[in-house]
Amino acid sequence: MVTGYLLRAGYRVDRAADGHEALARAAATRPDLVVLDLMLPGLDGLEVCRRLRAAEGGERLPVVMLTAKGEEADRILGLELGADDYVTKPFSPRELVLRVQSVLRRSAAAGAAAGRPGRLTAGDLTLDPAARRAFRAGRELALTLREFDLLAFLLRHPGAAFGREELMQRVWGWEFGDLSTVTVHVRRLREKVEDDPAAPALITTVWGVGYRFDPAGKGPAL
Amino acid sequence: MVTGYLLRAGYRVDRAADGHEALARAAATRPDLVVLDLMLPGLDGLEVCRRLRAAEGGERLPVVMLTAKGEEADRILGLELGADDYVTKPFSPRELVLRVQSVLRRSAAAGAAAGRPGRLTAGDLTLDPAARRAFRAGRELALTLREFDLLAFLLRHPGAAFGREELMQRVWGWEFGDLSTVTVHVRRLREKVEDDPAAPALITTVWGVGYRFDPAGKGPAL
DNA sequence: GGCGGCCCGTACGACTTCCGTAAGGTGGCG
DNA sequence: CGCCACCTTACGGAAGTCGTACGGGCCGCC
């Protein structure tokens, strides 16, 4: 139900059935915000919140809690643990979405104030330009300098196609040069990023033109 | 037992046998955090917590409470008095250490937000810039001036990669200079900080770029 | 003032990793 | 069916890093 509300509000949403799955998915997908029910099978919401916070970078992860009305103690506890906001059941779709929006706005403002350029992300792919690290589905990819730069450039322009010449200029910074260099690097990159390098799903070849990064969704953008 | 857990986790630990001694030692040693059992001979834990908070600078002193399971009232009371977290007995070593870590991290973040330089920490590594002392797993590291500055700078930007050039500027304060100087100092620093200098786990080299301090987390940061 | 120790910057060779180029194979497009 | 674009592989060299060694400067100590 919650997933539906948020999807309709235009957010990308992932969900987990219990506490352990939640922690695993959070580590893998690096969400911008977590909506957390206090009543969970397995680990309870408070414990999940605590561990999210304990995880690396977790101090900054916004958490919105869902609590049943009257769980006064839990509510206090939740806020003590650093939930950024909470919504008491029963709640309206509109209320939930509003809270999420406002928390996201606050956290975006805080991030911008801290001067963080932020991460590049598309589907289960994440690049951290500052750290020069790349992740796919929670696993770190061992990319070389050129591979990283190339992928970062493509991620910055999702869906756009670039010719080898242009890539040579904008990634390598060269005016001239053997264009096959680009070809080879694309191949090496695919080898590390794609599930099946023989049938590239992320870095697509555009015949007669060059390459394009496909942000998972093939259909027309929303 | 608790002392042992924390020592093994790399913290320096002091302890007291009862409430009065606790207050005395806290006043004398100015700890970064207090782990407080509710069941104490003499003054009980709640009273100790109250007085710690009342003492000079005590509003900022993080307190983690140890409570027996089911003492619901005490738990709420403890949180009202401003315990920053609590652990219910019986607890695992790992749980206790995690709570302590997360509370320390939060308090460090709060301190930084308040403009206090405070003390730099990552995993079992701790730097005290004011005292110019460095500790790892409870042991003091004998760092030289440059080594300390270099490590401090990296710790201030955990996870971020820096080129030799930038380090030269921001740590040495030079505009030009032999970049191999940086290389050599990184090596010397590793010799003292890393468990196995041949396979650096803390100060990672990023090929073609420079170096990065890795805050223990190998996985993707949240 | 002389001596020794510590720290620092520089230099050099060995080694590793990465990159660019070339050459031959493959597949789509006209 | 042929051409051209793209893919694949291999290899030599360039660039980057590491380990080590050396000499100079600063300071404390005798």
Side-chain angles (χ1 to χ4, degrees):
Chain A
M1 194 173 64
V2 170
T3 305
Y5 295 160
L6 293 172
L7 278 175
R8 245 162 288 148
Y11 294 105
R12 280 178 300 154
V13 183
D14 191 9
R15 63 177 164 181
D18 59 45
H20 289 291
E21 190 186 342
L23 290 170
R25 299 213 62 78
T29 67
R30 318 259 214 114
D32 296 313
L33 177 143
V34 171
V35 177
L36 191 58
D37 197 326
L38 268 185
M39 297 294 288
L40 286 177
L43 285 181
D44 80 350
L46 291 176
E47 182 58 27
V48 172
C49 181
R50 204 175 279 123
R51 297 206 192 171
L52 283 171
R53 283 289 137 100
E56 187 194 354
E59 320 86 25
R60 300 247 169 213
L61 177 61
V63 174
V64 173
M65 283 215 174
L66 299 182
T67 88
K69 199 156 198 151
E71 292 173 359
E72 196 76 21
D74 285 344
R75 217 188 65 198
I76 294 173
L77 201 47
L79 289 173
E80 286 270 333
L81 285 174
D84 296 83
D85 209 339
Y86 66 95
V87 183
T88 56
K89 303 185 220 180
F91 54 85
S92 70
R94 196 163 160 279
E95 181 181 1
L96 175 69
V97 171
L98 278 177
R99 294 279 167 87
V100 166
Q101 276 177 354
S102 100
V103 169
L104 276 180
R105 188 164 29 232
R106 263 187 284 153
S107 103
R116 273 184 312 161
R119 290 178 241 276
L120 295 168
T121 175
D124 59 353
L125 224 176
T126 306
L127 288 209
D128 185 337
R132 295 213 131 244
R133 279 147 67 102
F135 302 90
R136 171 103 203 270
R139 285 209 146 55
E140 177 158 14
L141 305 173
L143 301 185
T144 70
L145 188 147
R146 287 266 133 85
E147 288 162 4
F148 186 92
D149 286 341
L150 178 55
L151 182 55
F153 177 77
L154 292 175
L155 261 186
R156 262 188 264 269
H157 307 276
F162 295 95
R164 288 172 176 69
E165 201 131 3
E166 189 167 3
L167 291 172
M168 185 111 267
Q169 281 183 227
R170 302 183 62 173
V171 176
W172 273 257
W174 297 355
E175 199 59 40
F176 311 102
D178 192 334
L179 297 182
S180 65
T181 294
V182 178
T183 311
V184 172
H185 272 86
V186 167
R187 163 162 165 53
R188 297 208 256 246
L189 185 53
R190 280 175 174 163
E191 200 74 42
K192 296 181 181 178
V193 173
E194 299 280 357
D195 289 322
D196 177 7
L202 272 43
I203 304 172
T204 314
T205 298
V206 185
W207 231 87
V209 178
Y211 302 96
R212 170 181 57 210
F213 181 83
D214 267 317
K218 332 102 200 280
L222 283 181
Chain B
M1 193 172 67
V2 170
T3 305
Y5 295 160
L6 293 171
L7 278 175
R8 243 162 290 147
Y11 295 105
R12 279 177 297 157
V13 183
D14 191 10
R15 63 177 165 181
D18 60 44
H20 290 292
E21 189 186 344
L23 289 170
R25 299 214 61 81
T29 66
R30 304 296 194 100
D32 296 314
L33 177 144
V34 171
V35 177
L36 190 58
D37 198 327
L38 269 185
M39 298 293 289
L40 284 178
L43 285 182
D44 82 350
L46 292 175
E47 183 57 28
V48 172
C49 182
R50 205 174 278 124
R51 296 205 192 173
L52 281 172
R53 282 290 137 102
E56 186 195 354
E59 321 84 28
R60 299 251 169 209
L61 176 60
V63 174
V64 173
M65 282 217 176
L66 299 182
T67 89
K69 198 157 198 151
E71 293 172 359
E72 196 78 20
D74 286 344
R75 213 186 70 193
I76 294 172
L77 199 47
L79 289 171
E80 296 227 336
L81 284 176
D84 295 84
D85 207 341
Y86 67 95
V87 183
T88 56
K89 304 184 221 181
F91 54 86
S92 69
R94 193 160 161 280
E95 182 180 3
L96 175 69
V97 171
L98 277 177
R99 298 274 166 92
V100 166
Q101 275 179 355
S102 103
V103 169
L104 277 179
R105 184 161 32 230
R106 262 187 286 154
S107 102
R116 267 187 313 159
R119 143 183 344 210
L120 296 167
T121 175
D124 59 355
L125 225 176
T126 306
L127 288 210
D128 184 339
R132 294 215 133 243
R133 278 146 68 98
F135 302 89
R136 170 103 204 269
R139 282 205 154 55
E140 178 158 13
L141 303 174
L143 300 185
T144 71
L145 187 148
R146 286 267 133 85
E147 287 162 2
F148 186 92
D149 286 342
L150 178 56
L151 183 55
F153 178 78
L154 292 175
L155 262 187
R156 261 187 265 270
H157 307 274
F162 295 96
R164 289 173 174 69
E165 202 133 2
E166 189 167 3
L167 291 173
M168 185 111 266
Q169 282 183 227
R170 303 182 63 172
V171 176
W172 273 257
W174 298 355
E175 198 59 39
F176 310 102
D178 192 333
L179 297 181
S180 63
T181 294
V182 178
T183 311
V184 172
H185 272 84
V186 167
R187 165 168 161 49
R188 298 209 253 249
L189 184 53
R190 280 176 175 163
E191 203 73 43
K192 296 182 181 178
V193 173
E194 298 279 358
D195 289 323
D196 178 6
L202 271 43
I203 304 172
T204 314
T205 127
V206 184
W207 232 89
V209 177
Y211 301 95
R212 169 181 57 213
F213 181 82
D214 267 316
K218 333 102 204 277
L222 275 183

